[in-house]
Amino acid sequence: MNAVVILALFSVLAAAQATSDPDECDTIRVESWSYKYAEKVVQDASYVLNMTVVDRQSAADCTLGESFGYQKATLWVDHGCRADFKVCYLPVRRTECQVLRVESWNYKYAEKTVTGAALFINMTVEDRQSAASCDLDKSFGFYNQNSTVWVDHGCRADFNICYVQGATSTTTVNVSSWNYKYATKILPSASCIYSMRVANQQSAAPCTLGTTYGFVANTMWVSDGCRADFSVSYYSVY
Ligand SMILES: *[C@@H]1O[C@H](CO)[C@@H](O)[C@H](O)[C@H]1NC(C)=O
Ligand SMILES: *[C@@H]1O[C@H](CO)[C@@H](O)[C@H](O)[C@H]1NC(C)=O
Ligand SMILES: *[C@@H]1O[C@H](CO)[C@@H](O)[C@H](O)[C@H]1NC(C)=O
Ligand SMILES: *[C@@H]1O[C@H](CO)[C@@H](O)[C@H](O)[C@H]1NC(C)=O
């Protein structure tokens, strides 16, 4: 192999790496008219990672967690916020699906680990074998924190399970809003935080998810005097 071929090979590899970047971004307009709550689903997204204002059209403010935000693949606005947002998300094509049999015998709880599942997108009944019914969150469901799916109350079925591949972890971090000021802290090891709850509150001021604390992509925020150790779960995409 001569140097030119090797160079060409390297640039092909570099290009392949660039296109295997897990995330995609789009500019999307979402509008709260007459100060009403409104939603928009991001096409081809399985999970929104972050959302930032690029061009605000309204006189009303657009504040994350207060007048705009996101949940799974859905964006929302409220209180008159109208803007173009830059939205980064995990595309559906990054999602894996598999059919897995999970069975609750003798009406007992049972679980199964789905290796490599970082974030479950959905779980649906493909073929039920039991007389007992299978209802999401009642007799079957999943835990993102440990890549586990579960069944209970006699539900036995083949489930179609869709998820984003990667690894999940949980850690404890303290984030503090001193003097009632807005503050942020980055969790550098995380591609994306998916849950954050209060483990040990230090402030007298309340810590309320979405109001005085929250997260965007790999960044946690607090405001209005909330100070606490938070239990933060996140995933890193392979
Ligand atoms: C589950 O998620 C996958 C990937 O996002 C999607 O293609 C499929 O339609 C979803 N199924 C249901 C029942 O929502
Ligand atoms: C949004 O998420 C993408 C993908 O993870 C990342 O590259 C980008 O830096 C994030 N932007 C902000 C403002 O956090
Ligand atoms: C997974 O997490 C759930 C909820 O915390 C727990 O009940 C279950 O026992 C865990 N399973 C495994 C295999 O770690
Ligand atoms: C918060 O974390 C910092 C270092 O990250 C530590 O020095 C401090 O003692 C912690 N505070 C509390 C109240 O746990």
Side-chain angles (χ1 to χ4, degrees), residues 55-121:
D55 182 15
R56 177 159 57 94
Q57 283 108 33
S58 57
D61 275 347
C62 291
T63 311
L64 182 69
E66 240 164 71
S67 52
F68 78 92
Y70 54 88
Q71 175 78 35
K72 277 194 161 189
T74 305
L75 311 176
W76 60 266
V77 288
D78 206 350
H79 309 298
C81 161
R82 289 180 290 111
D84 289 331
F85 297 92
K86 185 180 177 203
V87 178
C88 297
Y89 57 89
L90 286 170
V92 167
R93 67 179 156 72
R94 295 266 312 165
T95 308
E96 292 260 314
C97 296
Q98 64 165 274
V99 175
L100 190 69
R101 180 165 299 183
V102 201
E103 299 171 302
S104 156
W105 290 107
N106 302 318
Y107 297 88
K108 287 211 179 90
Y109 177 89
E111 54 184 30
K112 228 175 214 182
T113 299
V114 183
T115 311
L119 194 64
F120 291 105
I121 304 296

Side-chain angles (χ1 to χ4, degrees), residues 113-150:
T113 299
V114 183
T115 311
L119 194 64
F120 291 105
I121 304 296
N122 60 35
M123 179 173 179
T124 51
V125 178
E126 184 88 358
D127 181 17
R128 178 159 57 92
Q129 282 105 33
S130 58
S133 69
C134 293
D135 302 306
L136 182 65
D137 295 333
K138 291 198 186 93
S139 52
F140 77 92
F142 50 80
Y143 297 115
N144 272 321
Q145 58 265 44
N146 53 18
S147 310
T148 303
V149 294
W150 60 270

Side-chain angles (χ1 to χ4, degrees), residues 174 185 202 229:
N174 72 55
K185 192 176 236 180
Q202 284 110 29
D229 292 327

Side-chain angles (χ1 to χ4, degrees), residues 5-231:
V5 173
I6 290 171
L7 262 183
L9 201 62
F10 268 117
S11 45
V12 168
L13 284 176
Q17 225 144 44
T19 52
S20 76
D21 186 283
D23 314 317
E24 246 162 54
C25 303
D26 274 336
T27 300
I28 300 172
R29 179 166 299 184
V30 201
E31 300 170 303
S32 157
W33 288 107
S34 308
Y35 297 86
K36 287 209 180 91
Y37 178 89
E39 288 186 344
K40 189 175 251 180
V41 174
V42 182
Q43 289 302 306
D44 300 322
S46 62
Y47 240 88
V48 172
L49 296 173
N50 61 35
M51 178 177 182
T52 46
V53 178
V54 277
D55 182 15
R56 177 159 57 94
Q57 283 108 33
S58 57
D61 275 347
C62 291
T63 311
L64 182 69
E66 240 164 71
S67 52
F68 78 92
Y70 54 88
Q71 175 78 35
K72 277 194 161 189
T74 305
L75 311 176
W76 60 266
V77 288
D78 206 350
H79 309 298
C81 161
R82 289 180 290 111
D84 289 331
F85 297 92
K86 185 180 177 203
V87 178
C88 297
Y89 57 89
L90 286 170
V92 167
R93 67 179 156 72
R94 295 266 312 165
T95 308
E96 292 260 314
C97 296
Q98 64 165 274
V99 175
L100 190 69
R101 180 165 299 183
V102 201
E103 299 171 302
S104 156
W105 290 107
N106 302 318
Y107 297 88
K108 287 211 179 90
Y109 177 89
E111 54 184 30
K112 228 175 214 182
T113 299
V114 183
T115 311
L119 194 64
F120 291 105
I121 304 296
N122 60 35
M123 179 173 179
T124 51
V125 178
E126 184 88 358
D127 181 17
R128 178 159 57 92
Q129 282 105 33
S130 58
S133 69
C134 293
D135 302 306
L136 182 65
D137 295 333
K138 291 198 186 93
S139 52
F140 77 92
F142 50 80
Y143 297 115
N144 272 321
Q145 58 265 44
N146 53 18
S147 310
T148 303
V149 294
W150 60 270
V151 288
D152 206 350
H153 308 299
C155 161
R156 289 181 288 112
D158 289 331
F159 295 93
N160 190 13
I161 301 163
C162 297
Y163 53 88
V164 180
Q165 283 192 305
T168 53
S169 317
T170 299
T171 186
T172 304
V173 193
N174 72 55
V175 197
S176 301
S177 158
W178 293 107
N179 301 320
Y180 296 86
K181 288 213 178 83
Y182 181 88
T184 62
K185 192 176 236 180
I186 290 173
L187 194 64
S189 51
S191 318
C192 184
I193 296 166
Y194 64 82
S195 98
M196 179 174 176
R197 57 175 189 78
V198 178
N200 181 17
Q201 189 171 328
Q202 284 110 29
S203 59
C207 291
T208 313
L209 182 65
T211 310
T212 61
Y213 80 90
F215 54 91
V216 200
N218 64 354
T219 306
M220 298 157 280
W221 59 268
V222 288
S223 69
D224 301 294
C226 161
R227 288 182 290 112
D229 292 327
F230 295 95
S231 172

